[in-house]
Structure formats: structure tokens, C-alpha cells
Amino acid sequence: MMLLPKAVLAIAALAFSPANALWPIPQKISTGDGVLFIDQAVRVTYNGVPIITIGYTPPASSHFDSRQIVQGGVSRALQSIFSTNYVPWKLHPRNSNFEPKLALQNRVQTIAIQQTGKDSASTFKPRAGDVDESYSLTVSKTGQVSITAKSSTGVLHALETFSQLFYKHSAGPFYYTTQAPVSITDSPKYPHRGIMLDLARNYQTVDDIKRTIDAMSWNKLNRLHLHITDSQSWPLVIPSLPKLSQAGAYHPSLVYTPADLAGIFQYGVARGVEVITEIDMPGHIGVVDLAYNDLIVAYEQMPYQYYCAEPPCGAFSMNSSKVYDFVDALFDDLLPRVAPYSAYFHTGGDELNANDSMLDPHIRSNATDVLQPLLQKFLNFAHAKIRAAGLSPFVWEEMVTTWNLTLGNDTVVQSWLGGTAVKDLAESGHKVIDTDYNFYYLDCGRGQWVNFPNGASFDTYYPFGDWCAPTKNWRLIYSHDPAAGISASHAKNVLGGELAVWSEMIDASNLDNIIWPRASAAGEVWWSGNVDAATGQNRSQLEVVPRLNEFRERMLARGVSAMPIQMTYCTQLNATACALFP
Ligand SMILES: *[C@@H]1O[C@H](CO)[C@@H](O)[C@H](O)[C@H]1NC(C)=O
Ligand SMILES: *[C@@H]1O[C@H](CO)[C@@H](O)[C@H](O)[C@H]1NC(C)=O
Ligand SMILES: *[C@@H]1O[C@H](CO)[C@@H](O)[C@H](O)[C@H]1NC(C)=O
Ligand SMILES: *[C@@H]1O[C@H](CO)[C@@H](O)[C@H](O)[C@H]1NC(C)=O
Ligand SMILES: *[C@@H]1O[C@H](CO)[C@@H](O)[C@H](O)[C@H]1NC(C)=O
Ligand SMILES: *[C@@H]1O[C@H](CO)[C@@H](O)[C@H](O)[C@H]1NC(C)=O
Ligand SMILES: *[C@@H]1O[C@H](CO)[C@@H](O)[C@H](O)[C@H]1NC(C)=O
């Protein structure tokens, strides 16, 4: 008889509080069902010393200070609790009474942040594995909050997790959690958790890039790879080679000045997001022909499909000393502006079509044995410059898988072609990033942008699906783990993953909902893994969906137009109500 009311209470609590609605789910978490309010008078200390809480932005600088970084993180966490929070009615049955009574006045008293290690220069521009991102977070029933982390990056992650515990009350400016006490210990599965954003096919504004960095930090994603130039446009201002952007940008206003670039880097560092710059070469660089007409072969060559993957074609003339002079000047200008903020520089290397060199008056060949030594020599030159600037090189996989080039052991290889490439590269000792297009290409599955005139090509390509359809939906993304099926000793070479946002059909109008919340799915797999430690099974969608529904609402409230993943009917009931059982 005593058991019945208890059981009923437990079920009621389950239905009314979406427990552990954190994203990504911490490695270890326990929560209670106590209510705690928080208000703006909350005291925050960092290593025992009080810090500014509301309205602080770290100064723009290439010098980074742990205290300023943490203060910025505190300010953003409190802003997200007090200014961009939401009433979670969409996550509860319609017309239900899910909010705590305002009379319950237990409050968060203090947030005591303890950083137990010292940050170093590499904390703010880490190579994979340089930073300990772990943290622990406890919230007592009576409102004492304690955060402990070795690095300021770990502190930022803890603050984000803390902010996700709180909701806005519909009665006014009151903010509460229903989960006290809370105890969390957390750390990432992979050190490299990224998004690649194409800035060349369509221009993306500086504000959009910064908002993407914000949303990444909420998802504990830590690498933003900017594919900043391609054959279509050169939006990057290089002061010593001004013709590049003057001739190559789509419009004089659609450029990234040195100040824009520095601002993006600094914005990222302050949020634990390292920005990685890519200048794709020796293919995907046709646009340079508009500025310097003796460096490029096959620019705008037709029929394009014999010379490149999409128009306009154009690659470096691989046996021209002028190309070396150009890269020398380009890197002398750009690399010193990258090195204060990033450990990496990406030299591209995807989809080089050997036929381009058939049109090169110095080569007139598409034979591998002719081109391979030229490519090796060029890559050695480019990567030596990168190392001399204190950076580590990054390349697309074809440099290894198609051209069999020898790379330095510091070089990271980004794999996109799927199949067994990630496994093969990891087993042959390369450091690998997984961008398998079968899972991680966010641009896929939305139809063709290329035109098919009436006639043969119309008939062949009807109904105009794109090459990498179908859409990589969040459930598919969530099912994929970069190191799955790779032995533990080789899996350590798999540094993580990057989602790709190729921008033929993406600009400010749809950027947010192309990326979010699908990138959140990858974010959780790369941080937490997709296996439930308790059961040893893949995490169930029934457990994941309520949290992702909730996190999507949170991102929306914080100014990112993440798309819905379900209808409100489903979010208001429970995962089982919208499940398909066989
Ligand atoms: C190179 O061009 C020839 C036609 O000249 C074509 O048959 C071949 O498919 C092209 N190769 C590539 C990789 O596009
Ligand atoms: C061009 O090719 C010649 C002959 O193979 C070689 O000696 C020379 O170094 C090459 N130049 C460049 C810039 O690659
Ligand atoms: C090289 O060119 C020849 C002649 O056009 C063509 O048949 C062959 O497919 C080309 N090879 C590559 C790798 O594109
Ligand atoms: C690739 O290069 C390595 C070392 O340079 C060499 O041993 C190997 O035979 C090459 N493989 C192919 C398929 O060309
Ligand atoms: C990586 O290469 C450098 C330069 O060739 C060498 O000094 C270093 O020992 C290598 N490191 C490893 C782990 O193989
Ligand atoms: C479980 O995860 C593994 C590794 O990511 C994946 O290969 C497999 O498809 C997943 N299975 C299910 C049912 O999601
Ligand atoms: C989930 O929703 C369904 C449909 O409304 C309901 O029958 C079921 O009791 C709910 N389960 C829980 C645990 O609330």
C-alpha cells in the first residue's frame, strides 16, 4: 500500500520534468528534483576572487588572459539565463501546470570557479590533445555551485552546461532549475569537433560566422574551419596582393579585411573555438586568374566536367616558378596573421583533376608519374612555410589517397570520400579528421544547382537530385561515430570530425537551419559518444529526442534559427508517443 503513491509520484516527476535535458549529455551526471531559483545578484568567484558577472566582453587583442576569458564566459552564461531564456511550454503537455511555485525561494547563492591548472599559449590555439577540456560541476540543494576545471576552456564548457539547467518562468523575470542537486563530471571523447564553412561559393557575413561560433560553443564544438577561397571567388583581402580580392571578390563589399579576420579569430578564442583557415590549392583556385593571369591553367575551361568538379575550373600551373613566388608572398602576408590564434593552416588539395595539366604549356601531361613529383615538391614547399610560421599543415585526403604524397608527421588529413578511407588512413599512421560525405555533408539532398538544358542532360538528370542525396538528417548523423570499427591502437589517430557546409545554395537566408540542430547531433557524438555507458548500447532516440527538442528551443531563444525536428504534438507529449514500433 505504501508503494503505490511513491510510484505514481515518480511517474508524475518523469512526465513533468525533462530530466537531464543537457546537450551534449555529460559523461557522468546525477540530478535531483529540487527547485532552485537564480537571480542577477548571484556572486561569482574565480580562484577565490570575485569577478564581474553581467555585460562583460573580453577586450579585442591577440593576447589572451585566462581571467578575462572566464569572465566573458560567466557573462555569456548569465546572459543566456536572464536575457535569452525561454518558457518551456513546448516540452510539456498542453495546458499543464509544469512550473514551480514562485513561493519556493531556494536560490543559487554563489558560483565558485576553481581552475586547478595554468593555461599556456597553446590553450588558446591548441593542437589536438593540447588542452584538457574536462570539468566538474556541482549544484547543491541549497544553491552552492562549484565548478572545477584544469583549463579555462574546461571552465567555459562548465558554464555552458550550468546555463542549460535553467528556464524562464512564465510569471515574469524568474529563472529556475528543477534538478537540484546536480553533480556532473565531463570530458570529450574526441579533441577535434568541427564545422567546415565555405565562404567562397556564396559569401557568408562576419556576423553570421560569429553567430555560428556562438552556437558551436553551446554545443561544445571547438573547431571552425573556414574554406575561405575557391575557384568561384576570393573574398580574403591580402594587403600585399591587393588584386586578389579586388578582382576576385563577388563585389567590393563582400570581403574579409585583416580586421574582420582577426575579429573572427579573437571571437573564437574567447569561446573555446579555434578557427582554421584554408586556402585550397593546387586545384579549386581558378579565380586567381582574374588577378594574375600567368599562374592558373584551365580557368573556366569547358566542358567543365573533364577539368574539374564544378565550374569554373582552374588550377595552379604546377611547373611554374611564379606559382612558388605567389604562394611565398601570400603566406608571408597571411600566416603571421593566423599564427597568433590557430595551430593549423589548411592547404586543401581535394579534387585536383589531372587533365588541367594537359593544358599547361610547361607540362602537357595528365600522367601520374609526371604530376606526382611536381605535387610533392609543391606541397613540401608550402608545408615548410607553414611550419616555419609555427603552424601545422592540414590537407584533404586526396593528397594521400590519390597522389600518394609523403606528409610530415604533424600533418592532419581530412577524409571526405567515405568507404574505408578514415580507417585506412588511421591504420597507416596518419592523423585523421572524419568528414565522410555519406554522413557529414550538410549541403546534400536539396537538389541540383547546375542547369540541365532540354534534351539529353534534362532526361538523364530528371528529377534533378544532387550527387550526394539524400539529406543527412540528424538521426543519420547521430548513428555515425568516426572511429567505429577501428582498433583502439589506431583509433587514437582519429582526432574527430568536421561537418561540411559547402555553400552553393547556402547564405544568410538559410545558414542557421542548414547547420542547426543537425550539427548538434554530431556535437553530442563527438563529445559524449553515441553509446550509453550504462547499457553499452547505442543511445536510444527515445532518450535523445526530448533533449534535442529542448536544446533546439534553447538555441532559438538565443538567436539561432535552428529548425524544428518534430511537430509540437510530439514535443509536448513524450518520445514514445511519436515512436514507430514494429
Ligand atoms: C580527362 O579528359 C578526357 C577527355 O579528354 C576525359 O575522357 C576524361 O574523363 C577526363 N578525366 C577526368 C578525370 O575528368
Ligand atoms: C619544372 O620542371 C623541370 C624539369 O622537370 C624542373 O627541373 C624544374 O625544377 C621544375 N620547376 C618547378 C618550379 O617545378
Ligand atoms: C588523360 O588524358 C587522356 C587523353 O585525353 C584520357 O584518355 C585519360 O582519361 C586522362 N587521364 C586522366 C587521369 O584524366
Ligand atoms: C606511395 O609512396 C610510398 C613512399 O613514397 C611508396 O613506398 C609506395 O610504393 C607508393 N605507393 C603507390 C601506390 O604508388
Ligand atoms: C616527426 O617528424 C619530425 C621531423 O621529421 C621528427 O623530428 C620527429 O621525431 C617525428 N615525430 C614522431 C612522433 O615520429
Ligand atoms: C550504433 O553506432 C555505430 C557506431 O557509430 C553505428 O555503426 C551503428 O549503425 C549504430 N547502430 C544503430 C542502430 O544506431
Ligand atoms: C507518453 O505519451 C503517451 C501518449 O500520450 C502516454 O500514453 C504515455 O503514458 C506517456 N508516457 C509517459 C511516461 O508519460
Side-chain angles (χ1 to χ4, degrees):
M1 290 304 276
M2 288 301 289
L3 277 175
L4 188 60
K6 259 193 191 160
V8 169
L9 267 178
I11 287 167
L14 206 71
F16 282 84
S17 85
N20 307 344
L22 300 174
W23 196 279
I25 190 81
Q27 299 287 359
K28 275 200 192 138
I29 175 167
S30 72
T31 56
D33 58 6
V35 173
L36 267 180
F37 284 80
I38 185 169
D39 59 44
Q40 302 201 15
V42 63
R43 260 172 52 85
V44 186
T45 64
Y46 175 54
N47 294 337
V49 182
I51 62 175
I52 302 169
T53 53
I54 311 274
Y56 175 81
T57 309
S61 159
S62 60
H63 171 78
F64 299 103
D65 173 87
S66 306
R67 184 179 180 76
Q68 291 174 349
I69 296 264
V70 166
Q71 211 153 254
V74 167
S75 194
R76 290 191 302 277
L78 297 182
Q79 150 126 3
S80 111
I81 293 171
F82 299 124
S83 306
T84 54
N85 210 333
Y86 71 111
V87 176
W89 60 266
K90 237 187 235 185
L91 308 165
H92 298 276
R94 62 188 92 182
N95 302 319
S96 64
N97 178 15
F98 59 85
E99 293 178 306
K101 291 192 180 64
L102 291 174
L104 294 169
Q105 285 296 328
N106 265 348
R107 302 195 158 265
V108 174
Q109 313 282 326
T110 59
I111 303 173
I113 301 168
Q114 208 65 39
Q115 188 182 331
T116 56
K118 241 181 143 43
D119 292 336
S120 68
S122 72
T123 306
F124 306 118
K125 47 169 186 171
R127 288 179 175 76
D130 278 355
V131 180
D132 185 326
E133 297 184 81
S134 68
Y135 68 90
S136 63
L137 165 66
T138 59
V139 180
S140 78
K141 248 190 135 110
T142 53
Q144 307 301 326
V145 178
S146 160
I147 286 172
T148 309
K150 289 218 176 72
S151 68
S152 60
T153 315
V155 173
L156 295 183
H157 292 318
L159 289 164
E160 171 58 34
T161 303
F162 177 72
S163 76
Q164 290 181 18
L165 292 168
F166 293 90
Y167 304 99
K168 184 173 161 43
H169 199 290
S170 62
F174 310 108
Y175 308 90
Y176 65 93
T177 180
T178 55
Q179 300 183 52
V182 180
S183 175
I184 289 171
T185 53
D186 205 6
S187 60
K189 176 166 181 178
Y190 292 103
H192 189 111
R193 308 178 301 278
I195 293 176
M196 189 229 68
L197 183 57
D198 176 2
L199 310 182
R201 295 194 171 80
N202 273 310
Y203 181 82
Q204 314 296 334
T205 70
V206 172
D207 282 352
D208 285 347
I209 294 168
K210 288 182 174 171
R211 190 179 60 264
T212 301
I213 289 174
D214 275 315
M216 288 178 69
S217 72
W218 311 336
N219 285 272
K220 297 185 171 62
L221 292 165
N222 66 353
R223 301 285 191 267
L224 177 63
H225 163 182
L226 299 178
H227 181 86
I228 201 162
T229 62
D230 209 300
S231 277
Q232 291 77 15
S233 83
W234 187 290
L236 184 64
V237 176
I238 303 293
S240 66
L241 300 166
K243 274 160 53 180
L244 278 172
S245 58
Q246 283 165 7
Y250 282 132
H251 182 270
S253 66
L254 300 187
V255 294
Y256 306 101
T257 65
D260 290 336
L261 191 64
I264 291 167
F265 278 125
Q266 289 165 7
Y267 200 85
V269 173
R271 287 157 182 78
V273 177
E274 180 174 21
V275 176
I276 297 170
T277 317
E278 176 187 357
I279 303 285
D280 202 350
M281 56 179 80
H284 284 287
I285 198 158
V287 69
V288 167
D289 198 61
L290 298 176
Y292 302 100
N293 62 13
D294 49 1
L295 303 175
I296 300 296
V297 291
Y299 182 54
E300 292 187 327
Q301 193 65 35
M302 288 290 186
Y304 78 82
Q305 61 271 31
Y306 291 159
Y307 296 93
C308 62
E310 67 182 43
C313 300
F316 274 149
S317 173
M318 291 309 302
N319 191 238
S320 161
S321 60
K322 286 183 180 154
V323 166
Y324 284 72
D325 296 343
F326 171 78
V327 170
D328 208 34
L330 173 66
F331 281 8
D332 282 348
D333 186 308
L334 181 57
L335 298 185
R337 296 192 279 116
V338 171
Y341 311 106
S342 189
Y344 297 108
F345 190 86
H346 202 309
T347 55
D350 54 326
E351 297 183 317
L352 175 64
N353 190 314
N355 280 347
D356 293 357
S357 295
M358 293 283 261
L359 306 176
D360 190 330
H362 307 295
I363 302 177
R364 297 245 176 252
S365 169
N366 68 2
T368 304
D369 59 343
V370 174
L371 298 181
Q372 206 260 8
L374 292 171
L375 284 171
Q376 182 73 63
K377 183 178 161 195
F378 176 73
L379 205 72
N380 290 350
F381 168 78
H383 286 188
K385 296 266 318 175
I386 287 166
R387 291 189 185 98
L391 297 155
S392 292
F394 231 104
V395 292
W396 289 107
E397 71 166 278
E398 289 98 313
M399 294 286 96
V400 181
T401 55
T402 304
W403 294 101
N404 193 29
L405 301 186
T406 302
L407 305 174
N409 60 18
D410 56 344
T411 307
V412 182
V413 181
Q414 184 163 16
S415 176
W416 65 281
L417 287 163
T420 58
V422 169
K423 186 168 190 278
D424 297 344
L425 287 161
E427 288 176 353
S428 61
H430 289 98
K431 298 181 170 66
V432 197
I433 301 297
D434 185 351
T435 304
D436 186 340
Y437 76 90
N438 297 291
F439 299 94
Y440 287 166
Y441 269 37
L442 298 185
D443 49 305
C444 295
R446 296 173 307 119
Q448 288 273 8
W449 54 268
V450 90
N451 304 324
F452 302 99
N454 284 349
S457 74
F458 180 101
D459 294 340
T460 303
Y461 289 96
Y462 184 88
F464 317 117
D466 56 70
W467 70 277
C468 55
T471 313
K472 313 312 169 197
N473 64 71
W474 80 263
R475 296 177 205 273
L476 179 68
I477 292 169
Y478 201 92
S479 75
H480 183 68
D481 183 314
I486 302 178
S487 73
S489 63
H490 295 127
K492 67 178 188 322
N493 289 333
V494 181
L495 305 180
E498 280 183 19
L499 298 156
V501 184
W502 300 109
S503 68
E504 287 88 350
M505 297 195 283
I506 298 168
D507 69 8
S509 69
N510 60 348
L511 180 70
D512 279 7
N513 67 46
I514 287 284
I515 301 181
W516 311 109
R518 287 188 292 163
S520 305
E524 177 154 296
V525 175
W526 297 335
W527 179 277
S528 322
N530 62 2
V531 172
D532 183 334
T535 62
Q537 307 281 313
N538 287 10
R539 245 182 270 281
S540 163
Q541 289 180 10
L542 300 182
E543 185 274 318
V544 171
V545 164
R547 286 187 300 105
L548 190 53
N549 274 326
E550 161 149 4
F551 190 54
R552 182 265 170 168
E553 294 306 311
R554 228 173 246 290
M555 288 197 282
L556 209 55
R558 292 165 84 173
V560 166
S561 297
M563 72 175 213
I565 59 161
Q566 289 195 310
M567 49 191 171
T568 308
Y569 172 81
C570 301
T571 69
Q572 286 193 323
L573 289 175
N574 56 59
T576 326
C578 286
L580 177 66
F581 292 100

